[in-house]
Amino acid sequence: MLKPQTSSTRELVRLDGLWRFALDTPDAPRPWSATLATTREAPVPASYNDLFTDPVIRDHVGWVWYQREVRVPRGWGDDRVIVRVDAATHEGVVYVDDVEVVRHVGGYLPFEADITEHVRPGAPFRLTIGVNNVLTNETQPPGRVEVLADGRKKQRYFHDFYNYAGLARSVWLASRPAVHVSDITVTTDIDGADGVVRYAVSVSVSGEGEGEGAGEGAVRVVLRDADRAVVAEGDGATGELRVADATLWRPGAGYLYELAVEALRPDGEVSDEYRLPVGIRTVEVRGIEFLINGEPFYFTGFGKHEDIAVKGKGHDDAFLVHDFQLIDWVGANSIRTSHYPYAEEVMDFADRHGIVVIDETAAVGLNFGLIGGLTGQKAPATFSPESINDAAQASHAQHIRELIDRDKNHPCVVMWSIANEPASAEEGVREYFAPLVDLTREADPSRPVTYVNVMMAPPEAELIADLFDVICLNRYYGWYVHTGDLTSAEPALLAELQLWGEKYQRPLIMTEYGGDTMPGLHSVWEQPWTEEYQVALLDIYHRAHDSVPAVVGEQVWNFADFQTSVGIFRVDGNKKGVFTRDRRPKAAAHALRARWTKRDANGQP
Ligand code: GCB
């Protein structure tokens, strides 16, 4: 799905700001049919959970309503009018006045509706968006709602970050012509000094004669360099452009061309223009190497979260800029969008600044083995008709398709991660994942595919690693096992890494390693939670990474402290951040800086 934009044929109004806000209650039927009976206001974009002091809002399970008036710009009479929601966590429904115009499940990906038939240029309408935070076996991520003896509902889930909800990304009103560019797929190659840009464009017609390819006119494309000079041109809905002496998109140097795509009417007039940034680069896995532009790449960086005080998962440009400043300062070259697709602003920024991204789905917590915990309860099977079943797999498949559809043209994305820590040693896991891997490769043959392996599924027990191009490992030696005993942790870690390397002969990335750390806590001994311990723990990993040739990357867990649900393992959230939640460096940040700033942009020493 193309991101809305302004161009010579398109306009855009950002609907961010304060909206009327109310929880759904049984005594308020059809909250969309009139002005919401509330004095409460909530900002968009922001998660709603931490905004208000009322615990009922923070702990609410179910629908909430956002509402505001919107006026369609006067000049949009000849165009289609689109409402676009960048994300509604986890299900969204949009009403224009009394009419439902679109419904979407999947909390971290966009959806849109053509509302032309329901609005008039120059006139206002009432825009109501319902957002449901409920997680089930069939959502990404999964969860379940429990009803307590006193009737309260509690949302349970099997992942570590807090289930923030609401409209955490922007909402847009966009115009576009009836005959419009509805999709573009770009892949790139390098041929000697030339860059090769292959493109495929879909043109759709909205309104009369609606549909993709309906009334198909011609397509023209023009590729410009960063100085706006035309470097290649083409005609037709698919084609290949050659750029002589191309400037490549590289880690640390996100050079972008711009592909202007024009949909032409039969009379040759331009109906629509869409401008897509294009980075020319290649990605390839060869043996135990991960190559970008044919050169070995070593990932340094972090698993992150979209997580800040008050706004929760609300996108914030100031934090975007600051986080990437810190990533640059520490000498890192990459991130993983753990554990869900991030705001498109993040992906665009990474494109422009040459930050390498492992793009992850929201399939986190497909692992019921962790459920019983200390209660002694027997954990249920993860993959079974009663739990993660065919319907869950179909929803996971749809989520992967939507992610690739959104992010396929980002040069920063070098690999898809289709799940974090599923129960990959449990029966049924292969039947579940094999079709999803096939689907991912089919949707995007140009990028490697990975999944992130959990510590409880070591190479002796694991059942799906051979399906993937790269094996990502989350390991907590020195933290969840061998706690406070790095002397035992180090050889255990090294032995496991060597086993993975020998068994699979493909690249390994340590996508999580770390330990909770209270800033300001110090000790001369190996004391978990101290700043010294975090540094010493990271060190044992670095020695192991440096000695196992198949390891092609290290991403510390986590970039910053983040909020979680309550639990005996968490003190106001997860404290494995190298930076605090307000982005102050712990000692580990300086230690990582000393290691990573000695490396080149490809992460090579
Ligand atoms: C993991 C998860 C991550 C958690 C982390 C932890 O393995 O992938 O979401 O936050 O462990 O700190 O326990």
Side-chain angles (χ1 to χ4, degrees):
M1 175 187 289
L2 295 176
K3 194 173 170 235
Q5 64 170 217
T6 57
S7 75
S8 58
T9 59
R10 294 173 176 233
E11 283 171 30
L12 200 52
V13 179
R14 203 192 264 263
L15 301 180
D16 295 356
L18 290 170
W19 293 46
R20 290 190 288 279
F21 177 82
L23 301 189
D24 189 54
T25 54
D27 53 340
R30 298 171 53 82
W32 56 88
S33 63
T35 301
L36 265 187
T38 180
T39 54
R40 229 174 239 131
E41 298 180 67
V44 174
S47 307
Y48 61 77
N49 308 77
D50 290 354
L51 298 173
F52 307 100
T53 52
D54 184 351
V56 171
I57 301 178
R58 190 164 201 267
D59 300 335
H60 177 69
V61 177
W63 289 92
V64 300
W65 298 98
Y66 289 80
Q67 190 182 68
R68 60 166 283 174
E69 271 64 50
V70 176
R71 188 179 292 276
V72 180
R74 270 188 313 170
W76 288 13
D78 293 334
D79 291 314
R80 309 299 296 184
V81 180
I82 311 296
V83 170
R84 207 249 200 185
V85 181
D86 282 355
T89 347
H90 298 279
E91 179 181 0
V93 57
V94 178
Y95 292 86
V96 168
D97 294 324
D98 284 358
V99 183
E100 179 182 324
V101 292
V102 65
R103 193 174 274 272
H104 177 263
V105 179
Y108 301 100
L109 289 170
F111 56 99
E112 63 177 33
D114 184 325
I115 61 168
T116 317
E117 310 307 332
H118 310 290
V119 296
R120 272 186 306 119
F125 67 92
R126 187 175 59 246
L127 178 60
T128 309
I129 305 184
V131 186
N132 182 5
N133 65 354
V134 166
L135 297 171
T136 69
N137 278 344
E138 289 168 33
T139 54
Q140 313 298 327
R144 71 170 61 120
V145 175
E146 284 169 11
V147 182
L148 306 181
D150 61 7
R152 279 179 305 139
K153 285 190 196 157
K154 263 221 176 319
Q155 177 74 64
R156 305 273 180 211
Y157 40 92
F158 324 114
H159 55 78
D160 192 31
F161 55 96
Y162 187 83
N163 186 34
Y164 281 116
L167 295 175
R169 300 179 189 163
S170 291
V171 178
W172 308 88
L173 193 70
S175 80
R176 73 180 171 216
V179 176
H180 61 276
V181 176
S182 53
D183 195 21
I184 307 170
T185 306
V186 164
T187 55
T188 62
D189 228 326
I190 303 168
D191 182 11
D194 291 358
V196 179
V197 176
R198 293 189 196 93
Y199 68 90
V201 173
S202 304
V203 174
S204 298
V205 181
S206 311
E208 250 160 71
E210 194 150 338
E212 199 170 298
E216 214 166 78
V219 170
R220 188 165 62 206
V221 299
V222 180
L223 190 70
R224 292 188 175 83
D225 67 16
D227 298 323
R228 315 272 320 137
V230 173
V231 293
E233 290 177 272
D235 287 304
T238 60
E240 191 177 293
L241 307 175
R242 288 191 88 82
V243 183
D245 220 357
T247 304
L248 301 184
W249 187 96
R250 294 178 185 282
Y255 189 91
L256 295 174
Y257 292 85
E258 183 187 271
L259 186 71
V261 178
E262 292 173 344
L264 307 178
R265 282 194 289 259
D267 62 5
E269 286 294 301
V270 175
S271 170
D272 188 22
E273 181 208 31
Y274 193 92
R275 296 166 304 112
L276 183 77
V278 170
I280 300 176
R281 58 110 185 88
T282 59
V283 177
E284 190 193 339
V285 169
R286 197 187 299 153
I288 58 167
E289 288 185 317
F290 194 100
L291 307 176
I292 298 182
N293 301 332
E295 293 167 13
F297 182 73
Y298 189 93
F299 296 77
T300 57
F302 303 95
K304 278 189 103 253
H305 265 304
E306 294 189 311
D307 175 277
I308 51 177
V310 184
K311 277 179 127 179
K313 295 203 171 306
H315 174 73
D316 187 295
D317 279 339
F319 273 87
L320 167 70
V321 169
H322 190 57
D323 282 4
F324 280 110
Q325 274 290 295
L326 295 177
I327 285 170
D328 187 47
W329 172 86
V330 82
N333 60 20
S334 69
I335 61 162
R336 173 170 61 120
T337 68
S338 44
H339 297 306
Y340 37 82
Y342 286 6
E344 282 169 277
E345 288 86 342
V346 179
M347 310 308 283
D348 292 341
F349 192 93
D351 281 346
R352 290 194 300 272
H353 297 273
I355 296 137
V356 171
V357 176
I358 301 174
D359 202 357
E360 186 158 281
T361 67
V364 48
L366 303 174
N367 198 334
F368 294 176
L370 303 168
I371 293 178
L374 298 180
T375 63
Q377 231 178 299
K378 190 176 172 318
T382 303
F383 304 99
S384 80
E386 297 74 45
S387 47
I388 300 301
N389 56 19
D390 291 352
Q393 188 191 40
S395 118
H396 194 163
Q398 173 64 12
H399 178 62
I400 293 173
R401 275 187 220 106
E402 287 182 31
L403 172 64
I404 293 178
D405 196 35
R406 192 195 74 162
D407 285 354
K408 62 188 171 187
N409 294 321
H410 286 287
C412 67
V413 175
V414 299
M415 180 156 64
W416 306 110
S417 160
I418 65 169
N420 182 69
E421 299 193 347
S424 56
E426 265 190 50
E427 206 178 311
V429 69
R430 211 173 162 85
E431 292 76 3
Y432 181 88
F433 272 101
L436 295 181
V437 177
D438 290 347
L439 152 94
T440 310
R441 293 194 194 289
E442 204 176 303
D444 179 13
S446 78
R447 290 181 179 87
V449 184
T450 190
Y451 94 101
V452 179
N453 169 279
V454 68
M455 187 147 187
M456 280 82 85
E460 311 86 273
E462 205 278 348
L463 299 168
I464 55 172
D466 62 299
L467 300 172
F468 296 89
D469 303 297
V470 173
I471 303 171
C472 290
L473 303 172
N474 293 348
R475 289 299 177 271
Y476 286 96
Y477 290 101
W479 190 255
Y480 292 124
V481 298
H482 304 302
T483 316
D485 179 6
L486 297 178
T487 312
S488 302
E490 185 160 2
L493 164 68
L494 187 61
E496 194 196 336
L497 275 183
Q498 281 164 343
L499 211 56
W500 280 107
E502 282 154 23
K503 181 161 178 189
Y504 289 101
Q505 302 291 327
R506 59 191 82 184
L508 309 173
I509 302 174
M510 187 62 71
T511 34
E512 287 184 24
Y513 63 111
D516 289 81
T517 304
M518 292 305 284
L521 193 64
H522 297 284
S523 176
V524 293
W525 300 293
E526 277 192 357
Q527 281 284 347
W529 294 92
T530 63
E531 296 201 35
E532 288 82 1
Y533 190 78
Q534 190 181 28
V535 171
L537 185 146
L538 298 182
D539 270 351
I540 70 162
Y541 283 79
H542 297 153
R543 284 193 289 273
H545 301 165
D546 292 345
S547 70
V548 177
V551 174
V552 300
E554 52 193 45
Q555 293 184 330
V556 177
W557 191 256
N558 187 284
F559 170 74
D561 294 345
F562 60 91
Q563 196 50 264
T564 62
S565 56
V566 293
I568 49 169
F569 288 103
R570 300 290 176 250
V571 186
D572 187 29
N574 188 309
K575 294 284 189 278
K576 294 191 186 71
V578 162
F579 297 92
T580 60
R581 203 180 190 205
D582 63 352
R583 279 40 176 184
R584 291 162 195 260
K586 299 179 189 172
H590 294 280
L592 287 168
R593 185 164 191 250
R595 174 173 167 85
W596 289 342
T597 52
K598 287 203 198 84
R599 295 177 172 238
D600 65 14
N602 280 334
Q604 302 298 336

